Amino acid sequence: MIQAYQKEETMADRISVLIPESTVDAKIKEIGEKISSDYAGKEVHLICILKGGVFFACELAKRITVPVSLDFMQVSSYGDGTKSSGIVRIKKDLDDSLEGKEVIIVEDIIDTGKTLHYLIPLLEHREPASIKLCALLSKPDRREVPIDIDYLGFDIPDEFVIGYGLDYAQKYRNLPFIGVIDPEEGLVEMDEKLTADDTDGEK
Ligand code: IMP
Ligand code: MG
């Protein structure tokens, strides 16, 4: 699937486009339409996982035609500095109750799956009417715990991606496409970086 995307060089040849802006936008429109029809006659409560999910959540919300409310949560994983434990610390909790709501969690990417594996039961405990997961990207090869993704943009290979909310050391979130940094140019010790920094709150 990914191989079909044309790779373009940009930003002084350091960043390659993995999924172009038009392809991401078309996919978000498609997911928005699917959610709108699945939730016809209902309201949806989107929970955006900060910071990475914010660009996706905003674009997605614009494409949903049933009434939408939005709330935000920021999490990070406890770890020993080199390995994520999968235990999530809530850095910013939701403002509103979930009770009786049709909740959709909106995430940038599902990697090991540990964050959502911890978060979903925690949110289920708050008694929403339903809870579903929507992710722009997934790296199935990296999965350590099983996660059902109800609405998924793209499966991608095990590469470190940036853009559309995803960062490398807090940079590149604003890129309007999904990109990869050329390994020979940057991303030294990326494996260490990924495990050490765990989830979004720290990255
Ligand atoms: P996990 O599914 O618990 O392993 O963690 C997912 C989180 O790790 C995501 O929400 C991102 O913040 C971060 N992450 C995983 N892969 C990437 C990547 O390729 N680029 C940027 N952030 C990533
Ligand atoms: Mg994230």
Side-chain angles (χ1 to χ4, degrees):
M1 179 183 190
I2 285 302
Q3 288 79 348
Y5 297 118
Q6 194 189 355
K7 277 202 168 190
E8 298 163 23
E9 300 301 315
T10 183
M11 284 196 176
D13 291 342
R14 288 190 58 231
I15 294 169
S16 302
V17 176
L18 181 65
I19 311 178
E21 181 175 5
S22 58
T23 309
V24 180
D25 289 346
K27 180 62 77 175
I28 295 176
K29 183 168 184 276
E30 196 184 305
I31 298 172
E33 285 165 359
K34 179 84 170 74
I35 289 174
S36 303
S37 83
D38 289 355
Y39 289 83
K42 298 179 181 171
E43 298 182 8
V44 292
H45 188 63
L46 301 184
I47 294 180
C48 169
I49 308 298
L50 297 170
K51 302 172 185 170
V54 76
F55 290 74
F56 177 40
C58 292
E59 291 306 308
L60 180 66
K62 282 155 62 178
R63 300 296 189 176
I64 296 175
T65 52
V66 299
V68 170
S69 52
L70 270 168
D71 206 348
F72 300 86
M73 189 166 199
Q74 187 168 17
V75 297
S76 70
S77 289
Y78 284 112
D80 62 8
T82 56
K83 210 171 185 337
S84 163
S85 64
I87 297 179
V88 171
R89 179 168 69 95
I90 297 175
K91 295 181 82 178
K92 184 222 172 290
D93 205 345
L94 299 168
D95 288 336
D96 305 317
S97 156
L98 297 185
E99 206 177 325
K101 291 180 181 161
E102 312 282 356
V103 168
I104 303 178
I105 300 171
V106 183
E107 247 291 37
D108 49 3
I109 188 165
I110 309 298
D111 185 35
T112 64
K114 284 180 174 178
T115 306
L116 270 297
H117 184 78
Y118 185 87
L119 203 56
I120 290 171
L122 194 140
L123 296 178
E124 271 169 349
H125 198 68
R126 300 183 186 186
E127 300 181 348
S130 67
I131 188 158
K132 288 198 174 177
L133 173 61
C134 176
L136 182 59
L137 304 171
S138 171
K139 290 184 195 171
D141 296 344
R142 295 257 312 167
R143 204 73 88 245
E144 291 179 27
V145 288
I147 289 285
D148 285 335
I149 307 175
D150 301 285
Y151 302 99
L152 173 64
F154 306 93
D155 273 325
I156 59 165
D158 182 7
E159 285 190 84
F160 192 81
V161 290
I162 49 167
Y164 232 103
L166 292 143
D167 73 303
Y168 171 57
Q170 296 301 332
K171 285 198 294 186
Y172 305 120
R173 291 191 197 276
N174 59 313
L175 295 180
F177 54 85
I178 303 296
V180 290
I181 300 180
D182 294 338
E184 61 272 21
E185 295 276 354
L187 298 195
V188 197
E189 298 171 358
M190 181 45 66
D191 281 349
E192 279 171 34
K193 168 96 195 123
L194 241 186
T195 45
D197 283 359
D198 56 74
T199 56
D200 205 51
E202 306 299 327
K203 283 199 276 208

